[in-house]
Amino acid sequence: MIETLRNAVAFIGISLVDALIMASRTPAAFLGLGSELGRIAPGYRADLVAFNPSFEVVGTWIGGIGWTGEASKTSERG
């Protein structure tokens, strides 16, 4: 998915904000999960991906549990 974001921004000229909406909010709504996924907001599941300006993934959170590439750095966050 990160490659798709990078390509949408670099080659199509879509803003990063619009590309992120297309990759998160739009699919969640299509699947009927728009009330629990696709946004960073209270009551939504904390499934997140952090990436740097070069579109390299530096961390992920699934259900609020984070992973940064090293098992010792896994932590629960709300």
Side-chain angles (χ1 to χ4, degrees), residues 19-58:
L20 289 169
I21 289 169
M22 288 182 212
S24 59
R25 192 181 308 168
T26 302
F30 176 79
L31 295 171
L33 300 171
S35 64
E36 60 186 277
L37 295 173
R39 295 175 189 257
I40 301 172
Y44 283 73
R45 200 166 110 179
D47 293 347
L48 307 166
V49 175
F51 57 93
N52 64 24
S54 298
F55 289 88
E56 297 168 325
V57 174
V58 295

Side-chain angles (χ1 to χ4, degrees), residues 6 10 19 50 53 66:
R6 180 185 311 146

Side-chain angles (χ1 to χ4, degrees), residues 60-61 64-77:
T60 59
W61 292 262
I65 298 173
W67 186 75
T68 58
E70 297 178 30
S72 63
K73 291 188 177 183
T74 301
S75 62
E76 190 168 332
R77 299 194 175 140

